[in-house]
Amino acid sequence: MTESEHRTVLLRGGDVHSPADPFATAMVVERGHVAWVGSEGAADAFASGVDEVVDLEGALVTPAFTDAHVHTTATGLALTGLDLSGARTLAEALERVRAHSAARPADKVLLGHGWDAARWPERRPPSRTELDEATGGRPLYLPRVDVHSAVVTTALLDLVPGVTGLSGHHPDQPLTGAAHHAVRAAAHAAVTPGQRAEAQRAALRRAASLGIGTVHECAGPEISDEDDFTALLALAAEEPGPRVVGYWAEAVSGEKDARRIRELGAIGAAGDLFVDGSLGSHTACLHESYADAAHTGTAHLDAAAVAAHVAACTEAGLQAGFHAIGDAAVGAVVDGVRAAAEKVGLARVRAARHRVEHAEMLTPETIAAFAELGLTASVQPAFDAAWGGEDGMYAERLGAERARTLNPYAAMLRAGVPLAFGSDSPVTPLDPWGTVRAAAFHRTPEHRISVRAGFTAHTRGGWRATGRDDAGVLVPGAPADYAVWRADELVVQAPDDRVARWSTDPRSGTPGLPDLTPGADLPVCLRTVVSGRTVFVRPNE
């Protein structure tokens, strides 16, 4: 334990968001844990016995956020590299590629991220010929915003012998499937350890600056590599910053596989173990064809494969999990987990808290099954903000009627499905308050949840998704993972008038949270603390 973790600190003169005391204005932190939460008057008794007194000057203290789905190195590469998420046209995207190529003459492979042709007037991705010209013939890997397909240059294809014979190779279309995985592996292999560490630090610094105290790294052989994963865990252990919880998405068939997952430093064989792909790339697996394509997407795992993985993980005491977006993929997960429960026992499966990432296309039946099987839904509300609504990508891919069923957070909460919020960064940016806002102001009104429920899913929910119920909340004994915010008036915000008004009365004892109404300024992070150790201080504060 470091010296700073040994120090006893009294924070006072603000608002402390705690279920232990809805009117708390002060908190004592000791040995990396919350020791006391209470009122200003009671704080006087502690003032002389602490190492430091921090005057909050009216600031808000909350538990630090947990982002339950992050690709840390890719996030950092997007922060330090070519980010096309702001490009408004295809022509602007190509100009950014040209400028990036000129600015990085030493890079063996140029890396970019974030293009979305659905937002461009041209309505098409860049062609290989256009990219060859923009890069001057250099290798370039440019995944779509959802990272399930990519456009590349001829020079990158030349680095991958046999790629034209792999499934998912299309001469004039983005690469998907095995071809995409092969070019991604070649591109990532060109990243030097120094570049990788720079990217990881950049991503963790950004997370800390946003009040994020923990990230769940969703790694695996199809999206990263073991060196990247172990280097990230080592860096996070050695340097002050958000804690990193690692998941490694590789199928487990027995104790030997489970032991290898643990030896890598992962707490589960979960994260992006792909049952299907994504809606944007037409690779999410559906029961009925896409509205804008004559097929039903791609299935990578069936119910039998899901059952085998879940049963083996449960037997080994390891968390299992899957990436599933389309209704057919979610159905395969439910059928597989239920089959595993019949084999090893429902109570053991529920106790393992297996996870499903994204879980977008649910039905009342699959929602009920998630609750019955104890499956945590690790979801990304920013997906709805980016692609939901009558005119969004979801409606384009699925038709308006099916699109309206996506991401039904209110129904999941009513059924008792545990929710953990994340970003899937770099697919959507690290942005915790924006994520809570996206859930509270879902584009489909019946799926909206209260700000309080969304905040809980983005704090305590992430801890519960790793099997810990004692954290993500500021009560005595909990880890001192907290953030200090400059925020406007605190309110209790219900999604609409159907929710009882009593909860907005101070006498209800419900601690307030910032007003997240669209258009209102989001809170500004002043300080982030992990295990009692400060990992971010806003400059000039």
Side-chain angles (χ1 to χ4, degrees):
M1 197 175 266
T2 67
E3 183 185 337
S4 65
E5 288 172 301
H6 274 302
R7 289 170 62 78
T8 303
V9 179
L10 167 64
L11 300 95
R12 64 185 304 178
D15 288 292
V16 178
H17 185 89
S18 172
D21 182 347
F23 308 109
T25 62
M27 179 170 77
V28 173
V29 172
E30 188 173 32
R31 300 180 69 83
H33 288 77
V34 177
W36 172 84
V37 174
S39 67
E40 204 58 35
D44 289 337
F46 292 98
S48 61
V50 300
D51 298 308
E52 182 183 0
V53 178
V54 175
D55 182 355
L56 293 169
E57 298 178 1
L60 169 67
V61 181
T62 70
F65 286 102
T66 292
D67 192 312
H69 194 120
V70 174
H71 303 287
T72 307
T73 304
T75 296
L77 290 170
L79 290 168
T80 59
L82 171 59
D83 181 1
L84 295 181
S85 59
R88 289 160 298 191
T89 66
L90 171 58
E92 185 183 334
L94 288 168
E95 189 50 49
R96 290 190 184 196
V97 171
R98 205 170 280 115
H100 184 71
S101 178
R104 308 281 296 204
D107 290 5
K108 287 193 285 186
V109 173
L110 297 166
L111 300 167
H113 173 74
W115 62 268
D116 185 358
R119 296 181 179 176
W120 295 340
E122 297 91 345
R123 309 290 289 177
R124 68 170 180 85
S127 70
R128 195 182 323 150
T129 303
E130 288 168 329
L131 293 174
D132 286 348
E133 183 278 323
T135 59
R138 296 171 65 191
L140 167 72
Y141 170 65
L142 209 55
R144 188 185 179 280
V145 62
D146 58 15
V147 204
H148 285 271
S149 58
V151 289
V152 301
T153 54
T154 305
L156 183 59
L157 288 178
D158 290 344
L159 296 178
V160 189
V163 67
T164 55
L166 295 176
S167 64
H169 177 267
H170 313 283
D172 299 311
Q173 292 293 323
L175 306 180
T176 60
H180 175 218
H181 295 156
V183 297
R184 177 165 55 195
H188 286 178
V191 176
T192 66
Q195 271 180 298
R196 184 174 64 207
E198 174 199 13
Q200 291 169 347
R201 285 191 185 97
L204 294 176
R205 273 198 305 270
R206 173 63 64 89
S209 76
L210 295 167
I212 296 169
T214 302
V215 299
H216 295 181
E217 167 67 15
C218 291
E222 292 194 355
I223 35 178
S224 54
D225 60 49
E226 291 182 15
D227 288 345
D228 180 86
F229 184 62
T230 55
L232 171 65
L233 295 181
L235 183 143
E238 291 162 10
E239 300 181 6
R243 62 179 92 223
V244 177
V245 176
Y247 286 96
W248 185 256
E250 195 162 10
V252 169
S253 60
E255 180 55 46
K256 184 180 175 185
D257 292 341
R259 189 163 58 247
R260 193 177 149 276
I261 298 281
R262 287 195 180 95
E263 285 167 356
L264 283 173
I267 72 159
D272 280 332
L273 187 54
F274 294 113
V275 179
D276 66 346
S278 75
L279 292 164
S281 290
H282 292 99
T283 51
C285 191
L286 314 179
H287 283 307
E288 307 285 336
S289 290
Y290 282 88
D292 61 349
H295 63 84
T296 56
T298 309
H300 297 298
L301 298 174
D302 61 12
V306 169
H309 180 66
V310 170
C313 285
T314 305
E315 296 275 16
L318 195 65
Q319 200 175 16
F322 304 92
H323 161 120
I325 286 178
D327 50 0
V330 172
V333 169
V334 162
D335 291 346
V337 177
R338 188 172 277 132
E342 287 169 5
K343 180 182 177 187
V344 303
L346 176 61
R348 291 179 71 192
V349 165
R350 285 179 60 89
R353 301 193 192 188
H354 303 307
R355 299 171 53 139
V356 184
E357 309 300 316
H358 316 310
E360 292 201 79
M361 290 184 74
L362 293 111
T363 63
E365 293 73 24
T366 50
I367 291 171
F370 269 51
E372 174 202 351
L373 298 165
L375 295 173
T376 294
S378 168
V379 295
Q380 296 75 37
F383 287 9
D384 174 74
W387 302 309
E390 297 293 312
D391 304 317
M393 182 270 286
Y394 290 154
E396 195 174 298
R397 294 286 184 270
L398 302 171
E401 191 176 336
R402 269 191 298 179
R404 275 194 294 273
T405 68
L406 262 60
N407 302 304
Y409 303 137
M412 295 163 88
L413 282 180
R414 279 197 302 273
V417 176
L419 294 184
F421 280 179
S423 61
D424 198 8
S425 179
V427 175
T428 57
L430 299 168
D431 179 16
W433 286 114
T435 294
V436 177
R437 171 186 277 172
F441 295 91
H442 197 297
R443 288 174 178 272
T444 307
E446 61 263 35
H447 300 330
R448 292 174 180 170
I449 62 176
S450 69
V451 166
R452 185 183 178 202
F455 179 78
T456 300
H458 217 344
T459 49
R460 199 169 197 177
W463 283 93
R464 285 176 164 168
T466 66
R468 284 190 63 174
D469 295 329
D470 63 337
V473 62
L474 300 180
V475 297
D481 286 29
Y482 62 90
V484 180
W485 306 92
R486 185 166 63 234
D488 294 331
E489 182 191 3
L490 304 183
V491 297
V492 177
Q493 209 160 15
D496 58 39
D497 287 341
R498 293 174 300 175
V499 177
R501 288 252 177 220
W502 65 267
S503 63
T504 62
D505 188 317
R507 289 169 299 181
S508 70
T510 303
L513 284 165
D515 181 358
L516 300 186
T517 304
D521 289 338
L522 292 175
V524 174
C525 185
L526 305 178
R527 180 181 294 259
T528 306
V529 175
V530 176
S531 277
R533 189 180 194 187
T534 299
V535 299
F536 168 76
V537 177
R538 186 172 177 82
N540 305 318
E541 287 293 340

